[in-house]
Amino acid sequence: QVQLVESGGGLVQPGGSLRLSCTAHGSRFSIWGMAWWRQAPGQEREWVAGIREGGASKYANAAKDRFTISRDDAKMMAYLEMKNLRPDDTAVYYCSAGDRYPQPDLYWGQGTQVTVSA
């Protein structure tokens, strides 16, 4: 069983940066794949980026070159570094964990709001 808690969301101006964190509580964190997803108002949840044990990662086209996913197994945390944010990045961001890569979907956090606005 794994519990996930996201943090780090907030209001940021276009062109700004944010780092989201996902804290995992449970066992065997190091073997889980981790991922970030987002859901904008009125839209379906979409996958943003995934990282597997060992650090290999993949990104959705919208996240390439602007977002970086990483993990710290010793701290049982995953991160999403976002730069050059745009208004269309506004969404609730969720982290997930599981044994699939790059879109693990076994465990989910509650989400953190990111709003990009001037």
Side-chain angles (χ1 to χ4, degrees):
Q1 199 61 301
V2 176
Q3 294 179 326
L4 304 173
V5 179
E6 302 94 336
S7 61
L11 174 64
V12 61
Q13 293 186 342
S17 301
L18 275 178
R19 187 177 82 155
L20 305 182
S21 299
C22 175
T23 303
H25 303 273
S27 62
R28 305 174 68 196
F29 176 83
S30 63
I31 72 168
W32 294 114
M34 302 291 296
W36 288 94
W37 308 67
R38 67 186 183 184
Q39 187 167 20
Q43 298 186 21
E44 294 186 354
R45 188 175 300 185
E46 66 173 351
W47 171 75
V48 174
I51 187 168
R52 66 187 308 166
E53 72 278 11
S57 59
K58 290 187 178 181
Y59 297 88
N61 287 337
K64 287 179 181 177
D65 301 323
R66 297 190 302 124
F67 294 3
T68 302
I69 189 171
S70 60
R71 61 189 294 161
D72 185 332
D73 290 346
K75 296 182 178 179
M76 295 180 66
M77 295 188 71
Y79 306 96
L80 185 68
E81 193 83 36
M82 305 185 292
K83 63 181 181 180
N84 194 21
L85 284 161
R86 309 184 299 230
D88 61 0
D89 294 316
T90 295
V92 178
Y93 284 71
Y94 299 89
C95 72
S96 69
D99 56 2
R100 296 175 60 190
Y101 171 77
Q103 299 179 347
D105 57 359
L106 191 58
Y107 303 107
W108 293 88
Q110 83 291 346
T112 186
Q113 176 70 47
V114 172
T115 301
V116 185
S117 175

